[in-house]
């Protein structure tokens, strides 16, 4: 299996190389050259299997000869052993034909654990075999950083730097990143919002001297291995609801477009996915794009669903690549306009292609709160604000297919928003123990590429 860049100008890589590389050297994102197919029989055979089994069968064709079957089986087993629910991604019914897929039973209580726990294991195996040491820098809107810390803390051959937007993550999220004691973990609190953090990260990748000097690797969803891990729960959820004999719709609370793009990959592999509904908060660039074709950045407005406070949605580039008929020159051209002019208009053909796959909607702050309250009253389920954005938008898109809304985080990560909506303060699960009492360790930095690069170089020399 070979991996190519959405912009067409970067070296073609193996799965393992693409995983260790992160951003392509032409600024694009890696994708498999062809998407492996599963037959209806292959898909039918997944129904009722343990999650780990489904994970093996879905991901195996993408990884080529990077790992033996035995090693890959063991890696998957270790990755999900830390989850507290036997189903890993259980379904809960919340309406006549509407289901939540709970993705928050991992160690940091958000869906990011599904991919990060797996790539933590994949990186370890790969780096040990190659005898290499790397520096991982990750930008986070709150949950990626926490999941990365959990996955990479204490590893000998990895230094991890987390760029978090100061004052724009919840207290639980911040503490998950600042309280671990492992010496290889560095939380950097950036004076800026998530888009600033992600821009800094991309600038580091595009500075080849720095990139090669520190052996930079990335675990944001620009890394295809992360997207791949997220393809699995589309299969587990859909087959539990009758796929491949039934078509299933999904609604996905969306920021950087990684999670919903995984649904697109599942669909391309042959899973009967009907509509993929993009649910955004008031930072609704993707909803506006689907409605009008104009992909134009506005400012980022903080919300009660902070993990989706994003305007530059990296993985949308992958969606565009397919919408533009795999024309990497066209993608490179639009991405250039996005960075120099703040936006572009999606071509008519590409917009039609996007609308064949995706629908969209957004939720205001008041609608998000009202949805948390209404879901609690009618079903007893306590939604996190991101999942509530999803449920609100899903309710507007219910049809004859079963609808699955991805519940992306545990409500206890956002206790203030949940308490405001329901009057109940969700308790922190035991596994997070004394999070509120532990001392924090964080370095405040300006939104200044050179200064952050110097700090990273200095820290990894010790
Ligand atoms: C990261 C995150 C999202 C957005 O996911 P993307 O893959 O960036 O679109 C939604 N909800 C929560 C809780 C998250 O942590």
């Amino acid at each position: 299996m070979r991996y190519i860049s959405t912009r067409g100008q970067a070296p073609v890589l193996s799965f393992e190389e693409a995983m260790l590389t992160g951003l392509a050297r032409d600024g694009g994102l890696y994708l498999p050259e062809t998407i492996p197919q599963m037959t209806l029989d292959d898909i039918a055979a997944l129904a009722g299997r343990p999650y780990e089994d489904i994970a093996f069968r879905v991901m195996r064709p993408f990884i080529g000869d990077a790992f033996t079957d035995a090693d890959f089986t063991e890696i998957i087993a270790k990755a999900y052993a830390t989850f507290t629910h036997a189903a890993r991604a259980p379904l809960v019914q919340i309406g006549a034909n509407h289901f939540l897929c709970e993705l928050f039973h991992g160690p940091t209580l958000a869906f990011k654990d599904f991919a990060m726990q797996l790539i933590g294991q994949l990186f370890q195996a790969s780096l040990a075999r190659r005898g290499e040491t790397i520096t991982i820098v990750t930008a986070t809107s709150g949950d990626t950083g926490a999941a990365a810390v959990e996955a990479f803390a204490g590893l000998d051959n990895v230094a991890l730097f987390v760029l978090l937007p100061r004052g724009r993550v919840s207290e639980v999220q911040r503490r998950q990143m600042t309280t671990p004691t492992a010496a290889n973990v560095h939380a950097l609190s950036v004076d800026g919002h998530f888009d600033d953090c992600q821009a800094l990260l991309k600038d580091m990748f595009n500075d080849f001297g720095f990139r090669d000097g520190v052996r930079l690797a990335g675990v944001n969803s620009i890394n295809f291995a992360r997207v791949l891990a997220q393809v699995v729960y589309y299969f587990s959820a859909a087959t539990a609801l009758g796929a491949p004999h039934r078509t299933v719709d999904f609604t996905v609370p969306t920021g950087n477009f990684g999670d919903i793009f995984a649904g697109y990959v599942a669909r391309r592999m042959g899973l009967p996915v009907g509509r993929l509904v993009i649910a955004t908060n008031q930072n609704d660039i993707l909803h506006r794009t689907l409605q009008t074709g104009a992909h134009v950045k506005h400012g980022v407005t903080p919300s009660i669903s902070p993990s989706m406070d994003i305007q530059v949605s990296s993985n949308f580039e992958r969606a565009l690549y397919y919408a533009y008929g795999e024309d990497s020159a066209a993608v490179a051209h639009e991405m250039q306009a996005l960075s120099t002019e703040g936006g572009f208009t999606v071509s008519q053909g590409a917009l039609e292609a996007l609308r064949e796959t995706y629908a969209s909607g957004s939720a205001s702050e008041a609608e998000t709160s009202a949805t948390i309250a209404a879901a609690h009253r009618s079903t007893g389920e306590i939604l996190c604000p991101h999942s509530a954005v999803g449920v609100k938008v899903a309710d507007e898109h219910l049809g004859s297919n079963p609808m699955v809304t991805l519940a992306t985080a545990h409500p206890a990560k956002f206790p203030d928003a949940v308490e405001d909506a329901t009057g109940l303060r969700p308790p922190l699960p035991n596994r997070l123990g004394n999070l509120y009492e532990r001392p924090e360790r964080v370095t405040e930095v300006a939104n200044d590429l050179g200064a952050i690069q110097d700090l990273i170089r200095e820290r990894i020399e010790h």
Side-chain angles (χ1 to χ4, degrees):
M1 176 64 65
R2 288 151 38 102
Y3 284 77
I4 54 167
S5 165
T6 48
R7 301 194 193 174
Q9 302 294 319
V12 173
L13 301 179
S14 68
F15 172 79
E16 186 177 19
E17 289 163 339
M19 173 181 85
L20 294 172
T21 295
L23 198 68
R25 287 179 99 86
D26 60 1
L29 282 75
Y30 276 103
L31 281 169
E33 196 168 43
T34 55
I35 295 185
Q37 299 297 301
M38 288 181 76
T39 65
L40 294 183
D41 286 346
D42 293 339
I43 296 168
L46 301 177
R49 311 288 313 169
Y51 187 86
E52 284 79 351
D53 242 34
I54 298 176
F56 180 88
R57 294 181 194 204
V58 169
M59 294 191 286
R60 179 70 191 83
F62 287 87
I63 68 166
D65 56 7
F67 300 92
T68 65
D69 284 359
D71 287 349
F72 194 45
T73 302
E74 193 187 322
I75 283 170
I76 293 170
K78 278 194 201 153
Y80 299 116
T82 55
F83 281 56
T84 51
H85 198 294
R88 311 309 183 214
L91 291 175
V92 174
Q93 187 160 10
I94 56 165
N97 211 9
H98 190 178
F99 301 81
L100 281 182
C101 181
E102 292 185 344
L103 300 176
F104 50 71
H105 297 285
T108 69
L109 313 180
F111 82 86
K112 304 296 198 297
D113 289 323
F114 276 88
M116 212 63 88
Q117 285 294 309
L118 183 82
I119 70 172
Q121 298 293 336
L122 292 173
F123 267 65
Q124 269 185 70
S126 190
L127 292 173
R129 187 167 60 198
R130 292 164 162 250
E132 285 175 13
T133 300
I134 55 166
T135 302
I136 296 176
V137 181
T138 185
T140 185
S141 57
D143 293 321
T144 294
V149 167
E150 184 72 29
F152 292 98
L155 297 191
D156 288 339
N157 36 16
V158 175
L160 173 66
F161 294 83
V162 177
L163 306 176
L164 64 105
R166 191 176 316 150
R168 291 172 182 258
V169 301
S170 79
E171 183 179 357
V172 173
Q173 290 178 317
R174 188 190 73 234
R175 287 180 171 277
Q176 285 180 318
M177 297 183 264
T178 59
T179 59
T181 52
N184 71 328
V185 171
H186 308 268
L188 307 183
S189 168
V190 178
D191 183 12
H193 48 63
F194 171 75
D195 287 342
D196 296 323
C197 295
Q198 182 160 249
L200 285 164
L201 176 62
K202 287 197 171 177
D203 288 345
M204 288 182 207
F205 272 110
N206 290 326
D207 174 347
F208 293 159
F210 177 80
R211 175 181 185 152
D212 298 336
V214 305
R215 310 188 58 81
L216 186 63
V219 297
N220 277 85
S221 50
I222 51 176
N223 193 320
F224 186 78
R226 262 192 66 192
V227 174
L228 177 60
Q230 293 166 201
V231 174
V232 176
Y233 44 72
Y234 286 88
F235 278 90
S236 69
T239 53
L241 294 173
H245 315 295
R246 277 165 110 189
T247 299
V248 178
D249 295 335
F250 286 86
T251 299
V252 186
T254 295
N256 225 354
F257 213 81
D259 211 8
I260 194 162
F261 181 75
Y264 176 78
V265 174
R267 190 181 198 247
R268 289 277 301 237
M269 290 176 73
L271 186 68
V273 172
R275 283 205 289 185
L276 288 164
V277 184
I278 302 164
T280 72
N281 65 22
Q282 57 194 347
N283 297 295
D284 61 351
I285 183 170
L286 295 167
H287 178 46
R288 286 187 279 114
T289 303
L290 264 281
Q291 283 189 313
T292 67
H295 188 69
V296 180
K297 287 189 261 183
H298 294 171
V300 179
T301 311
S303 78
I304 55 171
S305 45
S307 305
M308 310 198 303
D309 290 346
I310 294 179
Q311 290 283 282
V312 183
S313 187
S314 283
N315 281 285
F316 192 56
E317 178 167 345
R318 287 185 165 122
L320 287 173
Y321 175 78
Y322 290 109
Y324 278 88
E326 308 188 19
D327 179 350
S328 52
V331 173
H333 181 262
E334 305 296 39
M335 289 301 129
Q336 181 64 27
L338 182 63
S339 77
T340 57
E341 289 150 43
F344 60 89
T345 301
V346 179
S347 77
Q348 194 55 36
L351 186 58
E352 279 162 23
L354 287 172
R355 286 176 177 161
E356 267 166 33
T357 307
Y358 303 101
S360 67
S362 75
S364 69
E365 296 288 273
E367 289 166 336
T368 306
S369 279
T371 305
I372 297 174
H376 181 237
R377 270 196 312 273
S378 65
T379 68
E381 181 85 11
I382 299 186
L383 299 173
C384 93
H386 309 76
S387 311
V389 168
V391 167
K392 186 265 176 184
V393 173
D395 279 337
E396 297 164 353
H397 288 86
L398 294 175
S400 53
N401 298 331
M403 173 66 83
V404 176
T405 297
L406 301 187
T408 49
H410 193 287
K413 292 191 94 165
F414 310 94
D416 297 337
V418 171
E419 187 172 12
D420 285 347
T422 63
L424 294 176
R425 197 163 179 85
L428 215 50
N430 284 340
R431 69 190 305 169
L432 268 70
N434 58 349
L435 187 69
Y436 286 107
E437 280 94 63
R438 285 187 235 144
E440 295 190 70
R441 199 164 49 97
V442 59
T443 308
E444 297 202 346
V445 294
N447 179 7
D448 175 340
L449 179 66
I452 298 174
Q453 287 177 321
D454 286 346
L455 184 149
I456 291 173
R457 283 199 202 89
E458 205 176 284
R459 296 257 180 111
I460 61 176
E461 273 160 24
H462 290 105

